[in-house]
Amino acid sequence: MLLKTICKFTLMADTSKLMLSYGEMQLVNNTAWILTKRKIMDKVNALLGNVSVKFQELVISEHNHLPPAVIASTPKIARGESYQQLPYMLLDYPRCFDKENVFAVRTMFWWGNFFSCTLHLSGVYKTMFEHAILKNLTTLQSTGLYICVNEEEWEHHFETENYIAVDTLSKAEITAIVNKQHFIKMAAKFSLHQWSAMEGLLEKSFSDALHLLKY
């Protein structure tokens, strides 16, 4: 009997949480906002498709200093609904992922937040390019880049526990971060208010990322 009573109470408590607030009731009866969201996500998909073509052209033009696996990789666009409970879309190109080694440039749209472009290296690729990145320190400090300081390499937000602006750090501090982590992530972010210029901004950011890898 006690078990039945507890189960009944639990069911009733859960049911009460399913009641909609006034604002939620307005939204659930409004199709326009969800259809608008879908249109926006379709436009993001098209935008990322456009920049992926430009990115491929840039990789071909810089093929002399890139590994064959990187050159051979192809763009992939994926979308999701819940990075920190908000929709997002990703373009990965180049994309070389395995358990120990990563070479990727991830371009991200995160609803309500930003577009970003992130160079991500680990394993043999970190070893291959970390000296070039440190050599290009002056360039790093002049392009509005951020460096990841988080031990978790798959977070994408720009809170201070994840990214710090390169131009606020000394060369010694950047070197210490690069040497400490088993990966390197350098990222640029752009306000959604820059939408009309976004393709050009992302293309330049991608080009800057490739420049960091040159000896």
Side-chain angles (χ1 to χ4, degrees):
M1 176 65 73
L2 179 59
L3 180 61
K4 290 182 179 178
T5 302
I6 292 173
C7 291
K8 183 177 180 181
F9 176 78
T10 302
L11 179 61
M12 292 180 65
D14 289 343
T15 301
S16 69
K17 294 178 181 179
L18 301 179
M19 301 304 293
L20 299 180
S21 68
Y22 174 80
E24 291 168 339
M25 184 63 72
Q26 298 302 305
L27 288 175
V28 81
N29 281 287
N30 182 355
T31 61
W33 75 272
I34 197 69
L35 292 174
T36 300
K37 179 216 168 192
R38 181 170 182 173
K39 289 179 180 178
I40 291 171
M41 294 301 282
D42 286 345
K43 289 180 179 181
V44 174
N45 186 75
L47 187 154
L48 294 180
N50 285 351
V51 297
S52 74
V53 174
K54 297 292 187 180
F55 290 1
Q56 287 175 286
E57 293 173 357
L58 286 167
V59 165
I60 292 171
S61 70
E62 300 288 350
H63 70 276
N64 288 334
H65 69 280
L66 295 174
V70 171
I71 299 168
S73 68
T74 57
K76 180 179 180 180
I77 296 174
R79 68 173 69 191
E81 289 296 324
S82 192
Y83 179 63
Q84 297 189 359
Q85 301 185 55
L86 292 169
Y88 64 91
M89 193 171 295
L90 305 173
L91 163 64
D92 286 334
Y93 179 75
R95 55 184 182 96
C96 298
F97 297 100
D98 64 40
K99 187 175 181 180
E100 302 294 335
N101 309 298
V102 173
F103 185 118
V105 177
R106 171 162 286 182
T107 305
M108 180 179 187
F109 163 78
W110 186 21
W111 189 281
N113 285 275
F114 52 72
F115 277 91
S116 63
C117 187
T118 304
L119 173 66
H120 184 170
L121 306 174
S122 70
V124 296
Y125 297 115
K126 176 181 185 281
T127 302
M128 190 180 301
F129 292 109
E130 61 186 337
H131 296 299
I133 289 175
L134 291 173
K135 182 183 74 70
N136 290 315
L137 180 63
T138 303
T139 302
L140 294 178
Q141 291 179 316
S142 64
T143 55
L145 286 177
Y146 292 76
I147 188 167
C148 183
V149 294
N150 197 342
E151 293 183 0
E152 169 54 60
E153 62 184 305
W154 299 107
E155 289 291 346
H156 305 297
H157 63 81
F158 280 78
E159 299 302 319
T160 54
E161 70 270 19
N162 199 40
Y163 278 110
I164 295 178
V166 169
D167 60 11
T168 66
L169 300 170
S170 68
K171 183 175 181 178
E173 288 171 324
I174 295 172
T175 301
I177 292 168
V178 169
N179 289 339
K180 177 184 176 182
Q181 303 279 48
H182 70 277
F183 65 91
I184 301 172
K185 283 175 65 179
M186 308 296 307
K189 68 172 179 175
F190 305 101
S191 166
L192 299 181
H193 293 291
Q194 297 173 281
W195 193 288
S196 62
M198 195 58 63
E199 288 191 31
L201 292 171
L202 292 174
E203 183 180 348
K204 183 180 184 305
S205 182
F206 186 88
S207 178
D208 289 343
L210 295 184
H211 179 76
L212 298 180
L213 308 177
K214 287 185 176 180
Y215 286 97

